[in-house]
Amino acid sequence: MSVHRIEKTKLSFSDQWKALGNLPKFIRLIWNTNKQLTVANIILRVIASVLPLAILLVGKEIIDTIVWLIDQPDSDKTYLWRLLFIEGGLAVLQILLRQGISLIDGLLGDLFSNKVSEDIIHHAASLDLYQFENADFYDKMERARQQTTSRTILLSLVLTQLQEIISLISLGVGLVLFSPWLILLLIIAVIPSFIGELHFNMRTYSITRSWTQERRELDYLRYLGASNESAKEVKIFNLANHLARQFRILAHKYYEVNRKLAIKKSTWAGILSSIGTIAYYGAYIVIILQTVSGTITLGTLTFLSGSFKKMQSGLQGIMLRFSQISSHSLYLSDLFDFFAIQPNIVDKENKQPFPAPIVKGFRFENVSFRYPNTDKYAIKDLSFTLAPNEKIALVGENGAGKTTLVKLLARLYDPSEGNIFIDDINLKDIDLSDLRRNIGIIFQDYIRLHFTARENISIGNVEIMDSKNGDTVEWDTRIENAAEKSLASEVISSLPGGLDQILGRRFEDGIDLSGGQWQKIALARAYMRDAKIIILDEPTSALDARAEHKVFERFTELMDGKSAVIISHRFSTVRMADRILFLNDGKLIEDGSHEELMIRNGMYAELYSLQARGYQ
């Protein structure tokens, strides 16, 4: 690991040169973020790029005219004032263009960050579950996610500030060489911009501070959309669109607040900077008059003019530095490397819908599975059936392959060997979204969303939740029914905010729950969707014996007409199942009802007796 890090820090010139290949992809991303702002940015930059040349040409003409006027002091000076007016106008325009470019860069940078964050949520949801369990992949995803929070406009802002400092220094040097008293005029020209910058920096800080919690919510949504802890639920409940939508709404609100401030800041900065430029040109008029009258030499005028021109070209030179561009391109590699990762579990072109109704049920046929980069099989040569409306329990010690089996059933993994069928259709041929709409799973390591209780339960059927079109009464009734079935209603009734209470301590006014209370909330999700098969992985591990008995009494009643798979270490629970599959080291050892397995007096009976004696 340390060797890898050392190698990555030693970047050669060729590495930096290769990184420049990221720029076309980066430009395409910006173009796809907002075409209108991108076009406006290009137009403003093109105009700004020709202004220095125009100013030089006008300045040359001014000098030539002045020289002529020295020899002809009684001549009409109208042409000179016209040239001066033109050059002053071009200078003001250059400042306004600079502010416009800065404004657009900022807005485009915010939109780019939001768009890439959404893209990461969607792309992460499309990837295979095993990829989230790979350390290298997770590091790559984390680095990609970090790129979305880095302001793409940062370099432009820093260089703009640097250019303005250089401009002030250049002007100051010119004025000192000419006449120290003009320093006072320079200070007067700078003070308005300084005060304006100070004011808007404080406004920006105030907004940033007041939006701290909202920005943490955005980070939390990014985390949920692309995290190993939430990957299963995002896939099973098809949460990607919902999370991206929630992110988009909140991010847009934050963007709008920043946009209004950015427009005000850019406008006032342009005005105040223009005042400074006008003040400078007031001094310039005095200098010209003194030059015409012979008070100062033409060389002095030329030097001061050269200092002014240096102000105009500073930013362009800085932005073209190769080292800075290549450095930013290297960071872009993390983002594009992540988007280059593709899933293996995808829909086929001739995908088929989930059978409705299920006629024959599920069939595992010589199924084996091993995790990537491992030699040991988690599941080995497994064959069994799950009939329609049948309830089976998976029993075995930790590591026996129970959770892996249900992940295969939901096609979070594909078998390494063998096949899984539903009504004689290979599971790989079933539409993935349709499959997961018809399977409700509550995993042992279920996600604890730091959302409201309503949202925590609603994600069990996120498609309907996002399309309910304001029909909150019917939807709340559905939530309350699900909560009643899972005993979560007892939890909700004890919360100060009821269904609107934020759960967890991550956000202000949030209330954390006990393990058993969280588990009841999670169970309610399973009742939110009209799934054909319900899978509960240790669904009552945090419940006391009385609550567990009530839950499974209701579960048995509510599962009428549905298939169910239960994983539990409590034999008082699994004996309620129609059939029990006992797994050991990834293999199916015993299969039968509780009574049949007890009569067989095998491994199931042995473990059941051991557990029973513990309660005596």
Coordinates of all heavy atoms in Angstrom, one line a residue, residues 47-95:
I47 N -14.1 38.1 -27.0 CA -14.1 39.6 -27.0 C -12.9 40.2 -26.2 O -12.2 41.1 -26.6 CB -15.4 40.2 -26.6 CG1 -16.6 39.7 -27.5 CG2 -15.4 41.7 -26.5 CD1 -17.9 40.1 -27.0
A48 N -12.8 39.6 -25.0 CA -11.7 40.1 -24.1 C -10.4 39.8 -24.7 O -9.4 40.6 -24.4 CB -11.9 39.4 -22.7
S49 N -10.2 38.8 -25.4 CA -8.9 38.4 -26.0 C -8.4 39.4 -27.0 O -7.2 39.6 -27.2 CB -8.9 37.0 -26.6 OG -9.7 37.0 -27.8
V50 N -9.3 40.2 -27.7 CA -8.9 41.1 -28.7 C -8.8 42.5 -28.2 O -8.3 43.4 -28.9 CB -9.9 41.1 -29.9 CG1 -9.9 39.7 -30.5 CG2 -11.3 41.5 -29.5
L51 N -9.3 42.8 -27.0 CA -9.3 44.1 -26.4 C -7.9 44.7 -26.2 O -7.6 45.8 -26.5 CB -10.1 44.2 -25.1 CG -11.6 44.3 -25.3 CD1 -12.3 44.3 -23.9 CD2 -12.0 45.5 -26.1
P52 N -6.9 43.9 -25.7 CA -5.6 44.4 -25.5 C -5.0 45.0 -26.8 O -4.3 46.0 -26.7 CB -4.8 43.2 -24.9 CG -5.8 42.4 -24.3 CD -7.0 42.5 -25.1
L53 N -5.1 44.2 -27.9 CA -4.6 44.7 -29.1 C -5.3 46.0 -29.5 O -4.6 47.0 -30.0 CB -4.8 43.6 -30.2 CG -4.4 44.0 -31.6 CD1 -2.9 44.3 -31.7 CD2 -4.8 42.9 -32.6
A54 N -6.6 46.1 -29.3 CA -7.3 47.3 -29.7 C -6.8 48.5 -28.9 O -6.6 49.6 -29.4 CB -8.8 47.1 -29.5
I55 N -6.6 48.3 -27.6 CA -6.1 49.3 -26.7 C -4.7 49.8 -27.1 O -4.4 51.0 -27.1 CB -6.1 48.8 -25.2 CG1 -7.6 48.7 -24.8 CG2 -5.4 49.8 -24.3 CD1 -7.7 48.1 -23.4
L56 N -3.8 48.8 -27.5 CA -2.5 49.2 -27.9 C -2.6 50.0 -29.2 O -1.8 51.0 -29.3 CB -1.7 47.9 -28.2 CG -1.1 47.2 -27.0 CD1 -0.5 45.8 -27.4 CD2 -0.1 48.0 -26.3
L57 N -3.4 49.7 -30.1 CA -3.5 50.5 -31.4 C -4.0 51.9 -31.1 O -3.5 52.9 -31.7 CB -4.5 49.8 -32.3 CG -4.0 48.4 -32.9 CD1 -5.0 47.7 -33.7 CD2 -2.7 48.6 -33.8
V58 N -5.0 52.0 -30.2 CA -5.5 53.3 -29.9 C -4.5 54.1 -29.1 O -4.3 55.3 -29.4 CB -6.8 53.2 -29.0 CG1 -7.2 54.6 -28.6 CG2 -7.9 52.6 -29.8
G59 N -3.7 53.5 -28.2 CA -2.6 54.1 -27.5 C -1.6 54.6 -28.4 O -1.0 55.7 -28.2
K60 N -1.2 53.8 -29.4 CA -0.2 54.3 -30.4 C -0.7 55.5 -31.1 O 0.1 56.5 -31.3 CB 0.0 53.1 -31.4 CG 1.0 53.5 -32.6 CD 1.0 52.4 -33.5 CE 1.9 52.8 -34.8 NZ 1.3 53.9 -35.5
E61 N -1.9 55.5 -31.5 CA -2.5 56.7 -32.2 C -2.5 57.9 -31.3 O -2.3 59.0 -31.8 CB -3.9 56.3 -32.7 CG -4.5 57.4 -33.6 CD -3.8 57.4 -35.0 OE1 -3.1 56.4 -35.3 OE2 -4.0 58.4 -35.7
I62 N -2.8 57.7 -30.0 CA -2.7 58.8 -29.1 C -1.4 59.4 -29.0 O -1.2 60.7 -29.1 CB -3.2 58.4 -27.7 CG1 -4.7 58.1 -27.7 CG2 -2.9 59.4 -26.6 CD1 -5.2 57.5 -26.4
I63 N -0.3 58.6 -28.9 CA 1.0 59.1 -28.9 C 1.4 59.9 -30.1 O 2.0 61.0 -30.1 CB 2.0 57.9 -28.6 CG1 1.8 57.3 -27.2 CG2 3.5 58.4 -28.8 CD1 2.6 56.1 -26.9
D64 N 1.0 59.3 -31.3 CA 1.3 59.9 -32.5 C 0.6 61.3 -32.6 O 1.2 62.3 -33.1 CB 0.9 59.1 -33.7 CG 1.7 57.8 -33.9 OD1 2.9 57.8 -33.3 OD2 1.3 56.9 -34.5
T65 N -0.6 61.4 -32.2 CA -1.3 62.6 -32.2 C -0.7 63.6 -31.2 O -0.6 64.9 -31.6 CB -2.8 62.4 -31.8 OG1 -3.4 61.4 -32.7 CG2 -3.6 63.7 -31.9
I66 N -0.3 63.2 -30.1 CA 0.3 64.1 -29.1 C 1.6 64.7 -29.7 O 1.9 65.9 -29.5 CB 0.6 63.3 -27.8 CG1 -0.7 63.0 -27.1 CG2 1.5 64.2 -26.8 CD1 -0.6 62.1 -25.9
V67 N 2.4 63.8 -30.3 CA 3.6 64.3 -30.9 C 3.3 65.4 -31.9 O 4.0 66.4 -32.0 CB 4.4 63.2 -31.5 CG1 5.6 63.7 -32.3 CG2 4.9 62.2 -30.4
W68 N 2.3 65.2 -32.7 CA 1.9 66.1 -33.7 C 1.4 67.4 -33.1 O 1.8 68.5 -33.5 CB 0.9 65.5 -34.6 CG 0.5 66.4 -35.7 CD1 1.1 66.6 -36.9 CD2 -0.7 67.3 -35.8 NE1 0.5 67.5 -37.7 CE2 -0.7 68.0 -37.0 CE3 -1.7 67.5 -34.9 CZ2 -1.6 68.9 -37.4 CZ3 -2.7 68.5 -35.3 CH2 -2.7 69.1 -36.5
L69 N 0.7 67.3 -32.0 CA 0.1 68.5 -31.3 C 1.2 69.3 -30.7 O 1.1 70.5 -30.5 CB -0.9 68.1 -30.3 CG -2.3 67.6 -30.8 CD1 -3.2 67.1 -29.7 CD2 -3.0 68.8 -31.6
I70 N 2.3 68.7 -30.3 CA 3.4 69.4 -29.7 C 4.0 70.4 -30.7 O 4.4 71.5 -30.4 CB 4.5 68.4 -29.2 CG1 4.0 67.7 -28.0 CG2 5.8 69.2 -28.8 CD1 4.9 66.6 -27.4
D71 N 4.0 69.9 -31.9 CA 4.6 70.8 -33.0 C 3.5 71.8 -33.5 O 3.9 72.8 -34.1 CB 5.0 69.9 -34.2 CG 6.2 69.0 -33.8 OD1 7.0 69.4 -32.9 OD2 6.4 67.9 -34.4
Q72 N 2.2 71.4 -33.3 CA 1.1 72.3 -33.7 C 0.2 72.6 -32.5 O -0.9 72.2 -32.4 CB 0.3 71.6 -34.8 CG 1.1 71.1 -36.0 CD 1.6 72.2 -36.8 OE1 1.0 73.3 -36.9 NE2 2.8 72.0 -37.5
P73 N 0.7 73.4 -31.6 CA -0.1 73.7 -30.4 C -1.4 74.3 -30.5 O -2.3 74.2 -29.7 CB 0.9 74.5 -29.5 CG 1.8 75.2 -30.6 CD 1.9 74.2 -31.7
D74 N -1.6 75.0 -31.6 CA -2.9 75.7 -31.8 C -3.9 74.9 -32.6 O -5.0 75.3 -32.9 CB -2.7 77.0 -32.6 CG -1.8 78.0 -31.8 OD1 -1.9 78.0 -30.6 OD2 -1.0 78.7 -32.5
S75 N -3.6 73.6 -32.9 CA -4.5 72.8 -33.7 C -5.6 72.3 -32.8 O -5.6 72.2 -31.6 CB -3.7 71.6 -34.2 OG -2.7 72.0 -35.1
D76 N -6.7 71.9 -33.5 CA -7.9 71.3 -32.8 C -7.6 70.0 -32.2 O -7.0 69.1 -32.8 CB -9.0 71.1 -33.9 CG -10.3 70.7 -33.2 OD1 -10.4 70.8 -31.9 OD2 -11.2 70.2 -33.9
K77 N -7.9 69.9 -30.9 CA -7.6 68.7 -30.1 C -8.8 67.7 -30.0 O -8.8 66.7 -29.2 CB -7.2 69.0 -28.7 CG -5.9 69.9 -28.7 CD -5.6 70.3 -27.2 CE -4.3 71.1 -27.2 NZ -4.5 72.4 -27.9
T78 N -9.8 67.9 -30.8 CA -11.0 67.1 -30.8 C -10.7 65.6 -31.0 O -11.2 64.7 -30.4 CB -12.1 67.5 -31.8 OG1 -12.4 68.9 -31.5 CG2 -13.3 66.7 -31.7
Y79 N -9.9 65.4 -32.1 CA -9.5 64.0 -32.4 C -8.8 63.3 -31.3 O -9.0 62.1 -31.0 CB -8.6 64.0 -33.7 CG -8.2 62.6 -34.1 CD1 -9.1 61.7 -34.5 CD2 -6.8 62.3 -34.1 CE1 -8.7 60.4 -34.9 CE2 -6.4 61.0 -34.6 CZ -7.4 60.1 -34.9 OH -7.0 58.8 -35.3
L80 N -8.0 64.0 -30.5 CA -7.2 63.5 -29.4 C -8.2 63.0 -28.3 O -8.1 61.9 -27.8 CB -6.2 64.5 -28.9 CG -5.5 64.1 -27.6 CD1 -4.7 62.8 -27.8 CD2 -4.7 65.2 -27.0
W81 N -9.2 63.9 -28.0 CA -10.1 63.6 -26.9 C -11.0 62.4 -27.4 O -11.4 61.6 -26.5 CB -11.0 64.8 -26.6 CG -10.3 66.0 -26.2 CD1 -10.5 67.3 -26.7 CD2 -9.2 66.1 -25.3 NE1 -9.6 68.2 -26.1 CE2 -8.8 67.5 -25.2 CE3 -8.5 65.2 -24.5 CZ2 -7.7 67.9 -24.4 CZ3 -7.4 65.6 -23.7 CH2 -7.1 66.9 -23.7
R82 N -11.3 62.3 -28.7 CA -12.1 61.2 -29.2 C -11.3 59.9 -28.9 O -11.9 58.9 -28.5 CB -12.5 61.4 -30.6 CG -13.4 60.3 -31.2 CD -13.7 60.5 -32.6 NE -14.4 61.8 -32.9 CZ -14.0 62.8 -33.7 NH1 -12.9 62.6 -34.3 NH2 -14.7 63.9 -33.8
L83 N -10.0 59.9 -29.3 CA -9.2 58.7 -29.1 C -9.1 58.3 -27.6 O -9.2 57.2 -27.2 CB -7.8 58.9 -29.6 CG -7.7 59.0 -31.1 CD1 -6.2 59.4 -31.5 CD2 -8.0 57.6 -31.8
L84 N -9.0 59.4 -26.8 CA -8.9 59.1 -25.3 C -10.2 58.5 -24.8 O -10.2 57.6 -24.0 CB -8.6 60.4 -24.6 CG -8.4 60.3 -23.1 CD1 -7.3 59.4 -22.7 CD2 -8.2 61.7 -22.5
F85 N -11.3 59.0 -25.3 CA -12.6 58.5 -24.9 C -12.8 57.0 -25.3 O -13.3 56.2 -24.5 CB -13.7 59.4 -25.5 CG -15.1 58.9 -25.2 CD1 -15.7 59.1 -23.9 CD2 -15.8 58.1 -26.1 CE1 -17.0 58.6 -23.6 CE2 -17.1 57.6 -25.8 CZ -17.7 57.9 -24.6
I86 N -12.3 56.7 -26.5 CA -12.4 55.4 -27.0 C -11.5 54.4 -26.2 O -12.0 53.3 -25.8 CB -11.9 55.3 -28.5 CG1 -12.9 56.0 -29.4 CG2 -11.8 53.8 -28.9 CD1 -12.5 56.2 -30.8
E87 N -10.3 54.9 -25.9 CA -9.4 54.0 -25.1 C -10.0 53.8 -23.7 O -10.0 52.7 -23.1 CB -8.0 54.6 -25.0 CG -7.1 53.6 -24.3 CD -5.7 54.1 -24.2 OE1 -5.5 55.4 -24.0 OE2 -4.7 53.4 -24.4
G88 N -10.5 54.9 -23.1 CA -11.2 54.7 -21.8 C -12.4 53.8 -21.8 O -12.6 53.0 -20.9
G89 N -13.2 53.9 -22.8 CA -14.3 53.0 -23.0 C -13.9 51.6 -23.1 O -14.5 50.7 -22.5
L90 N -12.8 51.3 -23.9 CA -12.3 50.0 -24.0 C -11.8 49.4 -22.7 O -12.0 48.2 -22.4 CB -11.2 49.9 -25.1 CG -11.6 50.1 -26.5 CD1 -10.4 50.2 -27.4 CD2 -12.6 49.0 -27.0
A91 N -11.2 50.3 -21.9 CA -10.7 49.8 -20.6 C -11.8 49.4 -19.7 O -11.8 48.4 -19.0 CB -9.8 50.9 -20.0
V92 N -12.9 50.3 -19.6 CA -14.0 50.0 -18.8 C -14.7 48.7 -19.3 O -15.1 47.8 -18.5 CB -15.0 51.1 -18.8 CG1 -16.3 50.7 -18.1 CG2 -14.4 52.4 -18.2
L93 N -14.8 48.5 -20.6 CA -15.4 47.3 -21.2 C -14.6 46.1 -20.8 O -15.1 45.0 -20.4 CB -15.5 47.4 -22.7 CG -16.0 46.2 -23.4 CD1 -17.4 45.8 -23.0 CD2 -15.9 46.4 -24.9
Q94 N -13.2 46.2 -20.7 CA -12.4 45.1 -20.4 C -12.7 44.7 -18.9 O -12.7 43.5 -18.6 CB -10.9 45.5 -20.5 CG -10.0 44.3 -20.4 CD -8.6 44.6 -20.8 OE1 -8.0 45.6 -20.3 NE2 -7.9 43.8 -21.6
I95 N -12.9 45.7 -18.1 CA -13.2 45.4 -16.6 C -14.5 44.7 -16.5 O -14.7 43.7 -15.8 CB -13.2 46.6 -15.8 CG1 -11.7 47.1 -15.7 CG2 -13.8 46.4 -14.4 CD1 -11.6 48.5 -14.9

